[in-house]
Amino acid sequence: QRRVHGQQTFVEERIRSDGSSGVKQVRGTADGTRPYFTTSIGNAGVAGLHEHSNNIRTVGMGELNVVLNGVEFRTRHNDYRLRMPANNKNYNEMVDVPYPDVPPAVLAKHTVTEQVAEMREWFRAFRNQDHSVRDYRKYFKPVLTYMEGGWTTNTKTLEEPFFSDRHHIDASSWFDLQDKVRFTSYSGGKSILENFAYLPTTIMNVRNGTAEYAQWNYRIAVHPL
């Protein structure tokens, strides 16, 4: 028991001393023999961020290798919804980030065509960051996206970290996921649909000779600013 606990602590302490928490590597999509062809913390965007305006409230975000407080793990393809923690005591419940109001200048137009044309001017002002043309600041509100993780006691039933309408963990249980990750890691393959995640399991305690496991999980959430 002490050896298992000590080994887990050693690994995490070693990772903590290697550097701070953060993104370690994003998915690679380039080829080449030069070191600079290898992706690190960005690939077409910081942290692999990309557009998914074809999906409601969805921000595109690929697979990541991440370190959080000494725990290193790899996510599935994220493509997360703009959702924030619910203001209640229900475990892990999240709700949609409320939409801002539509600018009155858009609502004042009498036809859809006119409203679209006016709304484009608001988007143009926001893109150019010029609020002297249209004061977009009340209607284009920023949000802060963050990742959080922790050890959980539910090691039998696989829990999706958070909702995505494009991706999910392709496994029937945590141990099934571990077997799939081991196979792809040893064989040099990957999930073509990018639905595998390396989320470690550890022995957190031993009671009366029976091991008590803990499962690492994470989620991506949003906070309005």
Side-chain angles (χ1 to χ4, degrees), residues 65-222:
N65 279 60
V66 181
V67 173
L68 278 181
N69 192 26
V71 180
E72 184 169 347
F73 61 101
R74 184 171 71 249
T75 73
R76 60 161 164 80
H77 196 122
N78 292 290
D79 287 354
Y80 61 93
R81 279 269 182 98
L82 291 176
R83 310 191 79 195
M84 60 185 183
N87 188 21
N88 59 44
K89 296 181 179 180
N90 296 331
Y91 179 68
N92 267 354
E93 183 175 345
M94 301 179 75
V95 296
D96 290 338
V97 172
Y99 279 129
D101 295 330
V102 178
V106 175
L107 297 175
K109 301 299 181 181
H110 299 291
T111 67
V112 173
T113 302
E114 291 176 328
Q115 289 178 341
V116 169
E118 177 64 21
M119 194 70 227
R120 284 177 174 171
E121 296 305 315
W122 286 83
F123 278 114
R124 194 191 316 278
F126 173 74
R127 182 196 64 184
N128 296 331
Q129 294 291 283
D130 183 2
H131 59 266
S132 66
V133 180
R134 301 283 194 286
D135 194 355
Y136 55 81
R137 290 173 293 182
K138 288 176 56 179
Y139 310 104
F140 288 71
K141 297 182 178 180
V143 296
L144 173 69
T145 296
Y146 61 94
M147 179 183 290
E148 57 186 3
W151 294 105
T152 64
T153 56
N154 184 7
T155 59
K156 296 181 179 180
T157 304
L158 190 145
E159 288 182 294
E160 278 291 334
F162 52 91
F163 176 79
S164 170
D165 56 4
R166 291 178 48 81
H167 292 274
H168 65 280
I169 293 179
D170 184 14
S172 59
S173 66
W174 290 118
F175 290 110
D176 180 43
L177 176 63
Q178 291 175 10
D179 287 342
K180 290 178 176 178
V181 169
R182 290 177 65 221
F183 175 80
T184 53
S185 296
Y186 293 152
S187 62
K190 65 171 292 183
S191 165
I192 300 300
L193 298 178
E194 300 179 342
N195 286 331
F196 291 168
Y198 171 63
L199 302 171
T201 300
T202 187
I203 296 177
M204 192 61 69
N205 200 5
V206 177
R207 293 183 185 274
N208 300 321
T210 301
E212 293 182 349
Y213 292 94
Q215 174 63 51
W216 180 264
N217 209 344
Y218 77 102
R219 73 175 181 178
I220 296 176
V222 172

